[in-house]
Amino acid sequence: MTDRAPFASWLNDTNDVISVFLSAGQIPGLINLGGGLPSPDVWPVEEIAEISGRVVREYPTETMTYSPVPGLPYLRDVLAKRYSTDNVPLTRDNVLVTTGGTQALSLIGQVLLNPGQKIAAQSPTYLGALDAWRPRTPEYQPMILEAADFDPVQDMTGAQFAYTVPNFSNPSGRLVGLEQRKELLAAAQKTGAWLIEDDPYGKLYYDSDPLPTLLELSGDGTPYSGPVIYVGTVSKELAPGLRIGWIIAAPEMIEALATAKQGSDMFSSGVCQMTAAKAYEEGVADNALPRVLALYRARRDALCAALEKHLSDHLTWEKPCGGMFVWAKVKDPAIQTEQLMRRCLDYGVCISPSSVFDPEGKDQSGIRINFTLNTPEKLSEGAKRLADTIRSFD
Amino acid sequence: MTDRAPFASWLNDTNDVISVFLSAGQIPGLINLGGGLPSPDVWPVEEIAEISGRVVREYPTETMTYSPVPGLPYLRDVLAKRYSTDNVPLTRDNVLVTTGGTQALSLIGQVLLNPGQKIAAQSPTYLGALDAWRPRTPEYQPMILEAADFDPVQDMTGAQFAYTVPNFSNPSGRLVGLEQRKELLAAAQKTGAWLIEDDPYGKLYYDSDPLPTLLELSGDGTPYSGPVIYVGTVSKELAPGLRIGWIIAAPEMIEALATAKQGSDMFSSGVCQMTAAKAYEEGVADNALPRVLALYRARRDALCAALEKHLSDHLTWEKPCGGMFVWAKVKDPAIQTEQLMRRCLDYGVCISPSSVFDPEGKDQSGIRINFTLNTPEKLSEGAKRLADTIRSFD
């Protein structure tokens, strides 16, 4: 291949950590705490099977042929209604349908980043967002929201946008409090940076009612024209395999994003768009939620109890009040977590190392542990294996 | 919005022609010859409805959760088998599943283009390809395949890749002959440029058997490692609404494209991937083909007869032997086809102007006329309205 035209230079800026843990799924008997997968126990298989067949028969035009680039009006209306509040009245012009949340992030990068421009990103930063923006070769200003001297105005100055996951950030599981949400918004208004609210886990509150979103907090009762670019997805509410996500934002932003979508995949599957629209309309997601919350709450508790039992000498962590992850720091500074991850595979467990959530790939101090995919028994055994792995470094 | 961070600069490089003809669909009574839509009469609605419900029930893991980035092994295997010949033995490692053909082009641009690098593009050039590559801000070297002095080596020198639609190019309807296919391949080998074969219309031969593809011509019986990057799609064989396409190429190229796909939408809908896989396996596409060919052949003949009757004084064209379009030049050099397109809307017909198929947006001499969407009666009436519009310029 050496005599053919070379690949674009951004492709050099990757690491093999991701491919190591993506292929870990093929190791027999491995307990995978490394991914971020919803539990198969809560997939609404029968409902989605029935709806997907039905929508093709009943809506052949919507499902079979080319859809409008920004999405089917039917689904855009369902989503506009679902997110409208007194403070934030939305119409379909505020909604772009995307091919999953990942495409939403990719389109935002295409629309807002010239090569080398700056993103202020909640740190540590969701791996998939870093992947989505890599082809635009951005610079990163980390925002450390828990730091005593965190100054959002300073961090956002000169940035095209700020990236946040206010509800149970991936990877940190952190919930951004109401006061800090208001500070982030004020800083966006002051600096002119757009404010991304990536919200895949917004329904997954296990201990309290949800806080208002940045989108809600930024409305003033008039048609939405605020700085927030809200990203949602069916992946945690219905099924990732539908590959439907959405962006809610000011109409001018939606229009620019639609131009980028036109060149990215033209439109999202009509079959999947109509299936998602009907599933929301018919209450499939809302009806499933109590069971999802009960299952995930029990698994979070089981993982935290197992960490307490097996790993309190080796890790520090906080019990998250929602989402899908526990974020832990390794007490022994001599242990580099990329190496830990690789060795974990020999012990039959997989975790995600902190380096993949660092734009510079350097942070080796932490690990992300998922609790939604596995049963309490497996979570406990996984924690035991992780403890054995850490002790092997002595 | 003036005080917010501005959009990326590539977004300035658009025109409003596309939005004019995309929104033309909403004009009552308009005859749309401007798009490139398959006929609703040949959608396999009942088959796709049945299969899509069935695959969710029978393959919940494949359809409901996250798929591997390069595609479901099941579909990759179906496609590898479908395209394998003695000369070109393929495995799943040669196949990337994409979210339609548009995403395939977008990923190729991400993987092969640093900002400002060169594409050698068959001219006139498919609008959707220009859209897909705009965010990478490429330079274009037009390849005029019908020119007497066409020199593929000269045109491809310094280009990252050459873009071709050998079977019934969009917009020109041109079929690249066997000798010229071999010349294109030889030039790719000599210059090191990759050779894109975009083949949405590969089955739509109305008057003869298909020519061998560039992919077939470039195989040597060993596992495929040639310069061709083949792009296919279900859009003309099953239904655009499934939004499934694919790339067939050397494994190293597939791996790089998968990295780009990971950041673009992570994976394509599992529901749609399994539906496409089963539809191909169960012969839905192959069984539908004779009916599709008969319908489209008759419509091509009807359009060409209507052009002969109403427009021989005003246009020159060649009857295409396949595909979906007639490409015509306006005889009167005073008529600019963007203006013609706009005036056509007042006369109740829509065509595509040549400027949107020119990377520089300048060519005002031609129009693209689609013949697959409308009945012979509407094609005839559309030609009449087009003639009336042209005469109004006198």
Side-chain angles (χ1 to χ4, degrees):
Chain A
M1 306 274 290
T2 47
D3 51 349
R4 298 225 175 98
F7 296 147
S9 37
W10 70 268
L11 279 160
N12 303 328
D13 181 26
T14 58
N15 63 55
D16 76 334
V17 176
I18 294 167
S19 65
V20 168
F21 81 67
L22 284 179
S23 59
Q26 286 157 23
I27 302 174
L30 182 108
I31 296 176
N32 184 3
L33 311 178
L37 303 182
S39 168
D41 301 335
V42 296
W43 295 336
V45 175
E46 187 46 44
E47 291 89 334
I48 297 295
E50 188 278 321
I51 294 172
S52 64
R54 169 160 44 102
V55 296
V56 174
R57 276 186 198 96
E58 291 186 5
Y59 300 88
T61 303
E62 285 79 358
T63 56
M64 291 275 102
T65 192
Y66 293 89
S67 296
V69 175
L72 287 171
Y74 196 103
L75 176 57
R76 295 173 82 194
D77 287 347
V78 165
L79 292 169
K81 192 173 158 201
R82 197 167 166 84
Y83 284 96
S84 280
T85 62
D86 288 347
N87 238 12
V88 186
L90 300 168
T91 71
R92 70 175 69 153
D93 293 338
N94 296 108
V95 180
L96 181 86
V97 177
T98 63
T99 306
T102 301
Q103 186 185 52
L105 299 175
S106 169
L107 297 178
I108 290 166
Q110 288 180 52
V111 160
L112 284 176
L113 295 172
N114 288 322
Q117 284 188 313
K118 194 172 95 172
I119 299 169
Q122 183 174 357
S123 173
T125 309
Y126 169 48
L127 163 65
L130 299 177
D131 282 345
W133 297 325
R134 206 163 269 135
R136 308 300 295 171
T137 59
E139 298 290 322
Y140 283 91
Q141 168 63 46
M143 296 197 295
I144 303 178
L145 276 66
E146 62 275 24
D149 61 350
F150 172 58
D151 179 348
V153 171
Q154 188 179 317
D155 285 351
M156 289 190 208
T157 297
Q160 286 290 102
F161 59 84
Y163 175 67
T164 67
V165 188
N167 291 322
F168 317 116
S169 174
N170 181 351
S172 73
R174 190 172 187 281
L175 178 68
V176 177
L178 183 60
E179 279 318 303
Q180 202 162 47
R181 291 178 189 226
K182 291 178 180 168
E183 283 167 28
L184 287 166
L185 267 174
Q189 296 289 20
K190 182 153 185 188
T191 61
W194 296 84
L195 181 55
I196 315 299
E197 176 170 40
D198 189 4
D199 197 30
Y201 315 111
K203 302 280 185 202
L204 303 183
Y205 276 76
Y206 306 133
D207 302 325
S208 63
D209 287 335
L211 292 177
T213 60
L214 296 174
L215 180 70
E216 288 171 276
L217 291 170
S218 66
D220 62 2
T222 66
Y224 191 74
S225 65
V228 173
I229 304 175
Y230 178 96
V231 176
T233 171
V234 303
S235 293
K236 278 77 188 179
E237 298 181 8
L238 292 167
L242 288 175
R243 214 80 286 264
I244 294 293
W246 49 84
I247 295 173
I248 299 185
E252 295 86 340
M253 174 52 75
I254 295 296
E255 221 171 287
L257 290 163
T259 301
K261 182 167 172 71
Q262 183 170 316
S264 294
D265 66 359
M266 205 179 292
F267 65 101
S268 296
S269 162
V271 178
C272 294
Q273 287 193 67
M274 278 309 293
T275 300
K278 288 291 180 183
Y280 277 117
E281 251 191 351
E282 295 171 10
V284 175
D286 296 335
N287 294 341
L289 187 62
R291 200 169 146 240
V292 172
L293 293 182
L295 188 84
Y296 289 175
R297 186 187 296 116
R299 290 182 174 189
R300 175 206 53 181
D301 292 345
L303 175 65
C304 289
L307 295 178
E308 197 65 54
K309 182 171 171 192
H310 300 293
L311 284 150
S312 55
D313 287 350
H314 305 295
L315 300 179
T316 59
W317 70 92
E318 277 180 33
K319 184 173 179 170
C321 52
M324 300 176 74
F325 305 107
V326 169
W327 179 244
K329 295 278 175 182
V330 179
K331 287 183 180 175
D332 180 351
I335 296 180
Q336 304 283 293
T337 54
E338 273 188 28
Q339 201 195 342
L340 175 64
M341 182 266 294
R342 288 173 208 272
R343 199 180 292 183
C344 272
L345 300 179
D346 298 331
Y347 282 77
V349 64
C350 180
I351 48 87
S352 293
S354 48
S355 57
V356 298
F357 306 103
D358 173 3
E360 300 191 332
K362 288 181 183 161
D363 177 12
Q364 295 273 358
S365 65
I367 60 175
R368 188 191 75 176
I369 312 173
N370 168 265
F371 56 78
T372 55
L373 180 65
N374 289 284
T375 60
E377 294 69 37
K378 284 209 168 170
L379 290 168
S380 178
E381 173 62 22
K384 205 168 148 292
R385 293 180 187 179
L386 175 57
D388 289 344
T389 316
I390 291 177
R391 271 193 295 270
S392 77
F393 280 84
D394 286 345
Chain B
M1 308 273 291
T2 47
D3 51 349
R4 295 222 178 100
F7 296 148
S9 37
W10 71 268
L11 279 160
N12 302 329
D13 180 26
T14 58
N15 63 54
D16 75 335
V17 176
I18 294 167
S19 66
V20 168
F21 82 68
L22 284 179
S23 59
Q26 287 157 21
I27 302 174
L30 182 107
I31 296 176
N32 184 4
L33 311 178
L37 303 183
S39 168
D41 301 333
V42 295
W43 296 335
V45 175
E46 187 46 44
E47 291 90 332
I48 298 294
E50 188 277 321
I51 294 172
S52 64
R54 168 160 46 102
V55 296
V56 174
R57 275 187 199 94
E58 291 186 4
Y59 300 89
T61 302
E62 285 78 358
T63 57
M64 291 276 101
T65 193
Y66 292 89
S67 297
V69 174
L72 288 172
Y74 196 102
L75 176 57
R76 296 172 82 193
D77 286 349
V78 165
L79 293 168
K81 192 172 159 200
R82 197 168 166 83
Y83 283 96
S84 280
T85 62
D86 287 348
N87 238 10
V88 185
L90 299 168
T91 71
R92 71 174 70 152
D93 293 338
N94 295 107
V95 181
L96 181 85
V97 177
T98 63
T99 305
T102 300
Q103 186 184 51
L105 299 174
S106 168
L107 298 178
I108 290 166
Q110 288 180 50
V111 160
L112 283 176
L113 295 171
N114 289 323
Q117 284 188 312
K118 195 172 93 172
I119 299 169
Q122 183 174 358
S123 173
T125 310
Y126 169 48
L127 164 65
L130 299 177
D131 281 344
W133 298 323
R134 206 162 269 137
R136 308 300 295 172
T137 58
E139 298 291 321
Y140 283 91
Q141 169 63 46
M143 296 197 296
I144 304 180
L145 276 66
E146 62 276 24
D149 61 350
F150 172 57
D151 179 348
V153 171
Q154 189 179 315
D155 286 351
M156 289 189 208
T157 298
Q160 287 290 102
F161 60 85
Y163 174 69
T164 67
V165 187
N167 291 322
F168 318 115
S169 175
N170 182 350
S172 74
R174 189 172 187 282
L175 179 66
V176 178
L178 184 60
E179 281 317 303
Q180 202 162 46
R181 289 178 190 225
K182 291 178 181 168
E183 282 167 28
L184 287 166
L185 266 175
Q189 296 289 19
K190 182 153 184 187
T191 62
W194 296 84
L195 182 55
I196 316 299
E197 177 170 39
D198 189 5
D199 197 29
Y201 315 111
K203 302 280 184 202
L204 302 183
Y205 276 76
Y206 306 134
D207 303 326
S208 63
D209 287 335
L211 292 176
T213 60
L214 296 174
L215 180 70
E216 288 172 274
L217 292 170
S218 66
D220 62 2
T222 65
Y224 191 74
S225 64
V228 174
I229 303 175
Y230 179 96
V231 176
T233 170
V234 303
S235 293
K236 278 77 188 180
E237 299 182 8
L238 291 167
L242 288 175
R243 215 79 285 265
I244 295 292
W246 49 85
I247 295 172
I248 299 186
E252 296 84 343
M253 174 52 77
I254 296 296
E255 219 172 288
L257 290 163
T259 300
K261 182 167 172 72
Q262 184 171 314
S264 292
D265 65 359
M266 204 177 295
F267 66 102
S268 297
S269 161
V271 178
C272 295
Q273 287 193 69
M274 278 310 293
T275 300
K278 288 291 177 182
Y280 278 117
E281 250 191 351
E282 296 171 11
V284 175
D286 295 335
N287 294 341
L289 187 62
R291 199 166 150 244
V292 171
L293 293 182
L295 187 84
Y296 290 174
R297 185 187 297 115
R299 291 183 175 188
R300 175 208 49 183
D301 292 345
L303 175 65
C304 289
L307 294 178
E308 198 64 55
K309 182 170 171 193
H310 300 293
L311 284 150
S312 54
D313 288 349
H314 306 296
L315 301 179
T316 59
W317 70 92
E318 279 179 33
K319 184 174 178 171
C321 52
M324 301 176 73
F325 306 107
V326 169
W327 180 244
K329 295 277 175 185
V330 179
K331 286 182 180 176
D332 181 351
I335 296 179
Q336 304 284 292
T337 55
E338 272 188 28
Q339 201 195 342
L340 175 63
M341 184 267 296
R342 288 172 208 272
R343 200 181 291 185
C344 272
L345 300 179
D346 298 331
Y347 283 76
V349 64
C350 180
I351 47 87
S352 293
S354 49
S355 58
V356 299
F357 305 102
D358 174 3
E360 298 191 333
K362 287 181 184 159
D363 178 12
Q364 295 273 357
S365 66
I367 59 175
R368 187 191 74 177
I369 313 174
N370 169 265
F371 56 77
T372 55
L373 179 66
N374 289 284
T375 61
E377 295 69 37
K378 284 210 168 169
L379 290 168
S380 178
E381 173 62 22
K384 204 167 149 293
R385 292 181 187 179
L386 175 57
D388 290 343
T389 315
I390 292 177
R391 274 192 295 271
S392 77
F393 280 84
D394 288 345

